[in-house]
Amino acid sequence: MSAFPFKFYLNPEKFNKKKLLARPPTRKHKNHHDLNQSDYESQLHQLQIQLVKLQNSLITNHSQILVILEGRDTAGKDGVIKAITQHLSPRETRVVALPKPTSAESSEWYFERYVKQLPKAGELVLFNRSWYNRAGVERVMQFCTKQQYITFINTVNEFESLLTKSGITILKYYLDISKAEQIARLHE
């Protein structure tokens, strides 16, 4: 039995390329409100000022912040990272987007490659995807075994608890968009 319980079949006779490639209508979230460009830029500017103040405090107090951004492809992780880092000091800010593990990394403790990237004193680190790949992408795409997935699920909370007890503040965000919006963005 496969570790992934679903099987997908494509019936070429029922494959409607026009329908698949057609841009679907986008729907607004129930809490959506329109924000004009001027208001958006004004609010963004104020938030970026607060981020610079946070970074100054982080440096002064030798604090460590780890921001984890997860989400669907095209959900806006790169745009969020750009907005966050735009006015911050690059010496105390790092963005980590790890590639597929090497064969050497695959034989190590799963969290090891991430531990090497954790923030040092006075540093803000943003993970563009993280160890949660094990629970999402890796499981779905069968890049890990069922046992590796279960081990991850049983140890991730303890791992994060060790990080916070050592002084690292962890902020986790999942950016979500509808499948229709994702398809529309892929067509752009």
Side-chain angles (χ1 to χ4, degrees):
M1 182 177 184
S2 165
F4 185 61
F6 306 103
K7 292 184 179 179
F8 296 95
Y9 299 98
L10 180 62
N11 181 344
E13 295 168 6
K14 293 185 178 180
F15 181 67
N16 184 337
K17 190 173 181 181
K18 267 189 180 175
K19 185 175 180 183
L20 182 65
L21 296 177
R23 183 179 177 131
T26 57
R27 295 187 338 212
K28 292 184 179 179
H29 187 273
K30 63 181 178 182
N31 296 329
H32 174 84
H33 63 280
D34 289 324
L35 188 64
N36 67 43
Q37 190 66 27
S38 174
D39 289 343
Y40 166 78
E41 288 173 7
S42 174
Q43 287 184 27
L44 179 61
H45 180 73
Q46 292 304 311
L47 292 170
Q48 287 172 330
I49 289 170
Q50 294 304 313
L51 281 169
V52 171
K53 289 178 182 178
L54 172 67
Q55 185 173 49
N56 288 335
S57 173
L58 193 73
I59 295 165
T60 301
N61 297 314
H62 304 287
S63 301
Q64 301 158 276
I65 296 180
L66 173 63
V67 178
I68 296 173
L69 292 168
E70 295 285 347
R72 292 179 186 262
D73 289 340
T74 74
K77 293 181 296 296
D78 292 329
V80 168
I81 289 169
K82 181 180 177 186
I84 290 171
T85 61
Q86 189 172 11
H87 298 289
L88 297 180
S89 167
R91 286 189 205 131
E92 289 84 18
T93 307
R94 278 189 299 123
V95 176
V96 176
L98 295 177
K100 181 180 173 184
T102 64
S103 58
E105 288 173 330
S106 295
S107 66
E108 297 172 344
W109 174 52
Y110 181 69
F111 295 105
E112 192 163 345
R113 67 194 299 245
Y114 297 102
V115 169
K116 296 172 188 173
Q117 302 296 331
L118 292 173
K120 313 294 185 261
E123 192 175 40
L124 170 70
V125 174
L126 295 99
F127 276 10
N128 185 344
R129 300 203 184 254
S130 69
W131 46 80
Y132 286 103
N133 273 350
R134 174 65 40 111
V137 175
E138 290 184 24
R139 181 166 185 249
V140 171
M141 301 301 290
Q142 299 180 1
F143 294 154
C144 69
T145 66
K146 184 176 182 178
Q147 186 55 51
Q148 288 172 322
Y149 167 76
I150 290 169
T151 300
F152 170 80
I153 292 299
N154 290 330
T155 60
V156 67
N157 289 337
E158 185 177 354
F159 172 68
E160 289 181 355
S161 179
L162 289 170
L163 296 180
T164 56
K165 286 177 184 173
S166 72
I168 298 174
T169 300
I170 303 173
L171 305 171
K172 298 184 269 188
Y173 298 94
Y174 184 87
L175 305 181
D176 196 15
I177 56 173
S178 69
K179 285 199 182 255
E181 180 63 19
Q182 183 181 31
I183 290 169
R185 289 181 182 187
L186 287 170
H187 284 23
E188 289 177 353

